[in-house]
Amino acid sequence: MTVTFGGNRALDGAGFAAEAGRVTGLIGPNGAGKSTLFDVVSGLRRPQSGHVTLDGRDITRQTPARRARRGMARTFQRLELFGRLSVRDNLRVAAELGARGREADRTADRVLDRIGLTTDADTAADALPTGAARLLEVGRALAGRPRVLLLDEPAAGQDGEETRRFAALLSDVAGEGCAVVLVEHDMGLVMSVCDEVYVLDLGKVVACGSPEAIQQDQTVLAAYLGEA
Ligand code: ADP
Ligand code: MG
C-alpha cells in the first residue's frame, strides 16, 4: 500500500498477509505507518496504490461498514469507545451486528466474562481506567464475531498480570480460527503470542519472519529492540 500526506510518505509499499488461526505482529517505531496501514485495511483511508483482499476478494473500495459485516473488526490506538454508554451496552452495539434481542444480550455477557469486566458491566465506559478501556475495545471487536481482528496497541496501559491474561485471550481467539493482527510496543507480548512478525520502518516492511528470526535479525536488533 502507498499513502501520502502532503509530501510525507506514510506508507511506501508496505503490506502484510494475515492468516486465519494465527497471530500476526506488526512492530516498528512511532511514525512507521502501522496505524495508517490499519486505516487502509479497515477502509477508513483509501490508498493511493495497492489492494486489500479478504478471502482472495478485492475489498479496496468497500466501505468500513461493509468490511465489518464481512467479518473485519478493529480497535484504535486512541480509544474510540461510546463513552457515555455502559460497558455492557458498548458490547451490545457490536453484538447487534450479527444478532438481535436476547441473542445479542447473551453475546455481550459472554464477551464481558471473557474480557473479565463482568463486575464493571454497568459502569460508563468513560469511567474505566485505560487498561480496562482497551480491553473493552477488544471486547467490542470480539462481540461482532470477527474473522479478522486488527488490534492497535491494545496492551498500552495494562499491568503485567493484565498483559498475561490478554496474551491468553489472543491465543484463544486465534485458536478459534480468527486472523489476529497485533500492533504493539510490548515486545514480550509480541514475541510470546505472534506466529509471524512484520517490522515496519518509514512506510516499508524491513523484516518479516518468526519471532525467533526477528529477534536475531541484526538490523532489527540494532534499530528497534536495542542491542542488549
Ligand atoms: P505509527 O502508527 O506506526 O506510529 P502512523 O501510521 O500513525 O504511524 O503515522 C505514519 C506517518 O504518517 C507519520 O509520519 C505521521 O506523522 C503521518 N500521519 C499519520 N496520520 C496523518 C494524518 N492524518 N495527516 C498527516 N500525517 C499523518
Ligand atoms: Mg500508531
Side-chain angles (χ1 to χ4, degrees), residues 5 8-10 28-37 45 77 152-153 183 185 200:
F5 296 108
N8 178 11
R9 251 171 208 258
N30 284 326
K34 306 178 297 295
S35 294
T36 303
L37 199 46
R45 191 170 295 284
Q77 183 176 354
D152 201 347
E153 301 195 19
V183 165
H185 286 298
L200 246 72

Short mmCIF file of all heavy atoms in Angstrom, two decimals, residues 5 8-10 28-37 45 77 152-153 183 185 200, ligand 1:
data_model
loop_
_atom_site.label_atom_id
_atom_site.label_comp_id
_atom_site.label_asym_id
_atom_site.label_seq_id
_atom_site.Cartn_x
_atom_site.Cartn_y
_atom_site.Cartn_z
N PHE A 5 0.73 11.85 2.83
CA PHE A 5 0.10 13.02 3.44
C PHE A 5 0.95 14.21 3.01
O PHE A 5 2.05 14.39 3.55
CB PHE A 5 0.10 12.93 4.96
CG PHE A 5 -0.72 11.78 5.50
CD1 PHE A 5 -0.10 10.67 6.06
CD2 PHE A 5 -2.11 11.84 5.48
CE1 PHE A 5 -0.87 9.62 6.57
CE2 PHE A 5 -2.87 10.79 5.99
CZ PHE A 5 -2.25 9.68 6.54
N ASN A 8 4.72 13.70 2.70
CA ASN A 8 5.16 12.64 3.61
C ASN A 8 4.58 11.29 3.19
O ASN A 8 3.37 11.12 3.16
CB ASN A 8 4.72 13.01 5.04
CG ASN A 8 5.08 11.95 6.06
OD1 ASN A 8 5.84 11.02 5.78
ND2 ASN A 8 4.52 12.07 7.26
N ARG A 9 5.46 10.33 2.85
CA ARG A 9 5.00 9.00 2.50
C ARG A 9 4.81 8.17 3.77
O ARG A 9 5.77 7.60 4.30
CB ARG A 9 6.04 8.31 1.62
CG ARG A 9 5.58 8.17 0.21
CD ARG A 9 6.69 7.68 -0.69
NE ARG A 9 6.39 8.22 -2.02
CZ ARG A 9 5.85 7.49 -3.00
NH1 ARG A 9 5.63 6.22 -2.86
NH2 ARG A 9 5.56 8.04 -4.15
N ALA A 10 3.59 8.10 4.26
CA ALA A 10 3.32 7.33 5.48
C ALA A 10 3.44 5.84 5.18
O ALA A 10 3.94 5.07 6.00
CB ALA A 10 1.93 7.66 6.00
N GLY A 28 7.39 -1.65 14.93
CA GLY A 28 8.16 -0.59 14.29
C GLY A 28 8.04 0.67 15.12
O GLY A 28 7.11 0.81 15.90
N PRO A 29 8.99 1.60 14.93
CA PRO A 29 8.99 2.82 15.75
C PRO A 29 7.77 3.70 15.48
O PRO A 29 7.07 3.50 14.49
CB PRO A 29 10.28 3.54 15.31
CG PRO A 29 10.63 2.96 13.98
CD PRO A 29 10.09 1.56 13.96
N ASN A 30 7.53 4.66 16.37
CA ASN A 30 6.44 5.61 16.16
C ASN A 30 6.60 6.29 14.81
O ASN A 30 7.71 6.67 14.43
CB ASN A 30 6.42 6.67 17.26
CG ASN A 30 5.86 6.10 18.55
OD1 ASN A 30 4.96 5.25 18.53
ND2 ASN A 30 6.38 6.55 19.68
N GLY A 31 5.50 6.42 14.08
CA GLY A 31 5.54 7.08 12.77
C GLY A 31 5.88 6.13 11.63
O GLY A 31 5.96 6.54 10.48
N ALA A 32 6.08 4.83 11.93
CA ALA A 32 6.45 3.87 10.88
C ALA A 32 5.33 3.64 9.87
O ALA A 32 5.59 3.25 8.73
CB ALA A 32 6.85 2.53 11.52
N GLY A 33 4.07 3.87 10.30
CA GLY A 33 2.94 3.68 9.39
C GLY A 33 1.97 2.59 9.81
O GLY A 33 1.06 2.25 9.06
N LYS A 34 2.13 2.07 11.03
CA LYS A 34 1.32 0.94 11.49
C LYS A 34 -0.17 1.30 11.55
O LYS A 34 -1.02 0.57 11.03
CB LYS A 34 1.81 0.46 12.87
CG LYS A 34 3.31 0.14 12.90
CD LYS A 34 3.77 -0.30 14.28
CE LYS A 34 3.64 0.74 15.38
NZ LYS A 34 4.50 1.95 15.19
N SER A 35 -0.49 2.43 12.18
CA SER A 35 -1.91 2.81 12.30
C SER A 35 -2.49 3.17 10.94
O SER A 35 -3.66 2.86 10.66
CB SER A 35 -2.07 3.99 13.27
OG SER A 35 -1.72 3.60 14.59
N THR A 36 -1.69 3.79 10.09
CA THR A 36 -2.17 4.12 8.73
C THR A 36 -2.48 2.84 7.97
O THR A 36 -3.48 2.76 7.24
CB THR A 36 -1.11 4.97 7.99
OG1 THR A 36 -0.83 6.13 8.77
CG2 THR A 36 -1.61 5.39 6.62
N LEU A 37 -1.65 1.83 8.15
CA LEU A 37 -1.89 0.54 7.50
C LEU A 37 -3.24 -0.03 7.96
O LEU A 37 -4.04 -0.53 7.16
CB LEU A 37 -0.73 -0.41 7.82
CG LEU A 37 -0.49 -1.64 6.96
CD1 LEU A 37 -0.54 -1.33 5.47
CD2 LEU A 37 0.85 -2.27 7.32
N ARG A 45 -9.23 4.80 5.21
CA ARG A 45 -8.41 5.61 4.33
C ARG A 45 -8.16 4.87 3.02
O ARG A 45 -7.82 3.68 3.02
CB ARG A 45 -7.06 5.94 5.02
CG ARG A 45 -6.27 6.99 4.28
CD ARG A 45 -5.08 7.47 5.10
NE ARG A 45 -5.47 8.19 6.31
CZ ARG A 45 -5.92 9.45 6.33
NH1 ARG A 45 -6.07 10.11 5.22
NH2 ARG A 45 -6.23 10.01 7.47
N GLN A 77 -5.76 3.02 18.39
CA GLN A 77 -4.69 3.41 19.30
C GLN A 77 -5.20 4.49 20.26
O GLN A 77 -4.97 4.42 21.46
CB GLN A 77 -3.50 3.94 18.48
CG GLN A 77 -2.31 4.32 19.31
CD GLN A 77 -1.13 4.74 18.43
OE1 GLN A 77 -1.17 4.63 17.20
NE2 GLN A 77 -0.08 5.20 19.06
N ASP A 152 -4.74 -2.23 17.60
CA ASP A 152 -3.73 -1.17 17.56
C ASP A 152 -3.29 -0.79 18.98
O ASP A 152 -3.98 -0.05 19.66
CB ASP A 152 -4.27 0.05 16.81
CG ASP A 152 -3.16 0.97 16.30
OD1 ASP A 152 -1.99 0.80 16.73
OD2 ASP A 152 -3.46 1.85 15.47
N GLU A 153 -2.18 -1.33 19.41
CA GLU A 153 -1.59 -1.11 20.74
C GLU A 153 -2.59 -1.40 21.87
O GLU A 153 -2.79 -0.58 22.77
CB GLU A 153 -1.02 0.31 20.84
CG GLU A 153 0.05 0.55 19.77
CD GLU A 153 0.91 1.79 20.03
OE1 GLU A 153 0.94 2.25 21.18
OE2 GLU A 153 1.55 2.25 19.08
N VAL A 183 -0.64 -4.82 16.54
CA VAL A 183 0.34 -3.74 16.58
C VAL A 183 0.62 -3.47 18.04
O VAL A 183 -0.31 -3.21 18.81
CB VAL A 183 -0.20 -2.45 15.90
CG1 VAL A 183 0.68 -1.25 16.27
CG2 VAL A 183 -0.25 -2.61 14.39
N HIS A 185 3.84 -2.33 21.18
CA HIS A 185 5.22 -2.00 21.56
C HIS A 185 5.77 -2.93 22.64
O HIS A 185 6.96 -2.96 22.88
CB HIS A 185 5.30 -0.55 22.05
CG HIS A 185 5.20 0.46 20.95
ND1 HIS A 185 6.12 0.53 19.92
CD2 HIS A 185 4.28 1.42 20.69
CE1 HIS A 185 5.78 1.50 19.10
NE2 HIS A 185 4.66 2.05 19.53
N LEU A 200 8.04 -2.74 10.45
CA LEU A 200 7.83 -1.58 9.57
C LEU A 200 8.77 -0.46 9.95
O LEU A 200 9.00 -0.22 11.14
CB LEU A 200 6.40 -1.07 9.75
CG LEU A 200 5.45 -1.20 8.57
CD1 LEU A 200 5.09 -2.65 8.39
CD2 LEU A 200 4.21 -0.36 8.81
P1 ADP B 1 2.54 4.54 13.63
O1 ADP B 1 1.14 4.06 13.92
O2 ADP B 1 3.45 3.46 13.16
O3 ADP B 1 3.11 5.28 14.79
P2 ADP B 1 1.21 6.34 11.78
O4 ADP B 1 0.54 5.47 10.80
O5 ADP B 1 0.36 6.95 12.84
O6 ADP B 1 2.47 5.58 12.41
O7 ADP B 1 1.94 7.55 11.02
C1 ADP B 1 2.76 7.33 9.89
C2 ADP B 1 3.20 8.67 9.35
O8 ADP B 1 2.09 9.35 8.77
C3 ADP B 1 3.77 9.63 10.38
O9 ADP B 1 4.81 10.36 9.77
C4 ADP B 1 2.60 10.51 10.73
O10 ADP B 1 3.02 11.77 11.17
C5 ADP B 1 1.87 10.59 9.40
N1 ADP B 1 0.41 10.75 9.55
C6 ADP B 1 -0.45 9.86 10.10
N2 ADP B 1 -1.72 10.29 10.04
C7 ADP B 1 -1.65 11.51 9.44
C8 ADP B 1 -2.66 12.48 9.08
N3 ADP B 1 -3.94 12.27 9.34
N4 ADP B 1 -2.22 13.62 8.48
C9 ADP B 1 -0.91 13.83 8.21
N5 ADP B 1 0.07 12.95 8.51
C10 ADP B 1 -0.30 11.81 9.13
#
